[in-house]
């Protein structure tokens, strides 16, 4: 399973569209198949910037991301979120 994190918003122009920090997931059946990410979890509904994901040895996911309450963007903090991912069987 692939995971991605990014601000997920339809608002344009940027930076207004840099909102809604979202973790997305995609299943890959083969190297030749297309990858379609599906939004799975919105962790912050305010302004959001750069982010990074990592998997811990116990399988939990760590998300580190910039967030702000203001537009224009004035990133006032970096947040860390740790969460578990439900494992589903393959089809």
């Amino acid at each position: 399973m692939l995971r991605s994190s990014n601000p997920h918003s339809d608002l344009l122009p940027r930076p207004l569209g840099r909102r809604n920090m979202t973790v997305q997931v995609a299943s890959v059946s083969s190297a030749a198949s297309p990858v379609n990410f599906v939004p799975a979890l919105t962790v912050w509904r305010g302004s959001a910037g750069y982010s990074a994901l990592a998997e811990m040895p116990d399988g939990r996911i760590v998300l580190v991301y910039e967030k702000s309450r203001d537009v224009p963007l004035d990133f006032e903090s970096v947040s860390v979120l740790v969460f578990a991912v439900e494992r589903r069987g393959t089809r």
Side-chain angles (χ1 to χ4, degrees), residues 1 3 53-63 85 87:
M1 177 171 295
R3 295 173 193 90
L53 286 170
E55 185 170 349
M56 296 176 66
D58 65 3
R60 292 182 298 162
I61 303 300
V62 178
L63 170 64
V85 175
R87 305 271 183 200

Side-chain angles (χ1 to χ4, degrees), residues 5-86:
S5 61
N6 65 305
H8 189 79
S9 175
D10 293 332
L11 293 176
L12 292 175
R14 299 200 185 278
L16 297 177
R18 293 183 71 183
R19 302 183 57 76
N20 300 331
M21 178 54 67
T22 302
V23 174
Q24 302 178 81
V25 296
S27 294
V28 179
S29 56
S30 72
S33 66
V35 176
N36 296 312
F37 282 95
V38 177
L41 175 66
T42 299
V43 299
W44 174 253
R45 295 215 177 266
S47 297
Y50 291 106
S51 64
L53 286 170
E55 185 170 349
M56 296 176 66
D58 65 3
R60 292 182 298 162
I61 303 300
V62 178
L63 170 64
V64 178
Y65 64 100
E66 296 175 306
K67 69 180 187 179
S68 175
R69 298 182 192 281
D70 301 320
V71 173
L73 301 178
D74 180 19
F75 293 115
E76 56 208 34
S77 65
V78 173
S79 293
V80 177
L81 175 68
V82 178
F83 57 96
V85 175
E86 178 181 326

